Amino acid sequence: TVSEGSAMGNTIQSTEKRTATNSSTAISMGGNVMQKVLINKNAVTMNGQPLPPMMADMSKDMAKTLGTFIEVAYLNNPETKLTGIENINGNEVYVITQKGKMVTITSYYDAKTGLKIKEVQLINMGGRTQNQEATFSDYKEFNGVKFATKKSGSMAGQKLNFTLKDAKVNEGVSDQDFK
């Protein structure tokens, strides 16, 4: 998928590619890649560097999100649980939580449509907790799969709104994308 947003007067582009065993996310500003995160079952690298040893648990937690879609990873992880049914903006939602040692991901799915409307990542490092929240809306179909075309959240303290520009399913991904 390719999404765009803006911050500080610059266009930010997020390009995400996933397979059953790899994930790549590149964040670009002004056409230059500022951050690239690669995840596979063995490691997480950021800008070509492995995460430090003190973050080994984070690498293991993030490896549990691998799959063509994170929902596939949920199905393959016994630590993923239906933790409740809540009400968000008048809609009943299912709350699914994947608890990890450093990263816990909670996803909220509309009970009527089954579509994800919110995701919260709780990151616990060295006794400090960081909360990252994203909301999803305006779903459209690409190659028979529905993708949220609007994603709102924050990055480095900046509120960001991303718009999906392109989504491809089962095309345009090679092993080279994960190196």
Side-chain angles (χ1 to χ4, degrees):
T1 61
V2 178
S3 300
E4 285 186 356
S6 64
M8 300 175 281
N10 292 304
T11 298
I12 298 173
Q13 186 176 68
S14 173
T15 303
E16 182 178 11
K17 296 183 179 186
R18 297 178 71 95
T19 67
T21 57
N22 293 288
S23 173
S24 167
T25 303
I27 305 294
S28 304
M29 186 180 291
N32 298 311
V33 175
M34 307 301 283
Q35 180 181 34
K36 186 170 184 178
V37 178
L38 300 175
I39 303 171
N40 64 40
K41 66 180 180 179
N42 299 315
V44 175
T45 62
M46 187 175 298
N47 297 332
Q49 300 298 313
L51 294 181
M54 66 181 248
M55 298 177 78
D57 286 335
M58 178 180 277
S59 291
K60 290 175 188 171
D61 291 345
M62 297 308 294
K64 292 176 185 173
T65 67
L66 289 173
T68 309
F69 299 95
I70 193 171
E71 289 76 12
V72 173
Y74 284 169
L75 294 173
N76 295 321
N77 183 349
E79 295 169 21
T80 302
K81 308 281 184 216
L82 172 66
T83 53
I85 298 174
E86 295 182 12
N87 190 301
I88 296 179
N89 298 329
N91 295 317
E92 193 171 79
V93 297
Y94 296 116
V95 183
I96 309 287
T97 301
Q98 179 177 289
K99 186 161 178 42
K101 289 185 178 182
M102 288 184 78
V103 181
T104 296
I105 301 171
T106 303
S107 299
Y108 300 79
Y109 297 88
D110 185 291
K112 287 183 185 166
T113 66
L115 300 174
K116 185 188 317 187
I117 61 167
K118 181 176 163 181
E119 181 178 278
V120 177
Q121 290 188 12
L122 189 64
I123 302 165
N124 188 350
M125 268 192 302
R128 292 189 176 175
T129 302
Q130 180 182 357
N131 192 28
Q132 294 180 341
E133 185 174 308
T135 58
F136 304 87
S137 62
D138 196 20
Y139 278 81
K140 291 193 172 51
E141 202 168 289
F142 292 81
N143 249 8
V145 179
K146 288 187 178 184
F147 288 88
T149 62
K150 304 286 184 203
K151 178 181 177 182
S152 298
S154 62
M155 181 185 295
Q158 284 280 330
K159 177 97 169 131
L160 295 175
N161 296 308
F162 280 96
T163 301
L164 183 66
K165 296 296 182 184
D166 191 24
K168 295 178 182 174
V169 179
N170 295 328
E171 62 178 279
V173 178
S174 72
D175 290 340
Q176 194 62 34
D177 294 320
F178 306 105
K179 295 183 180 183

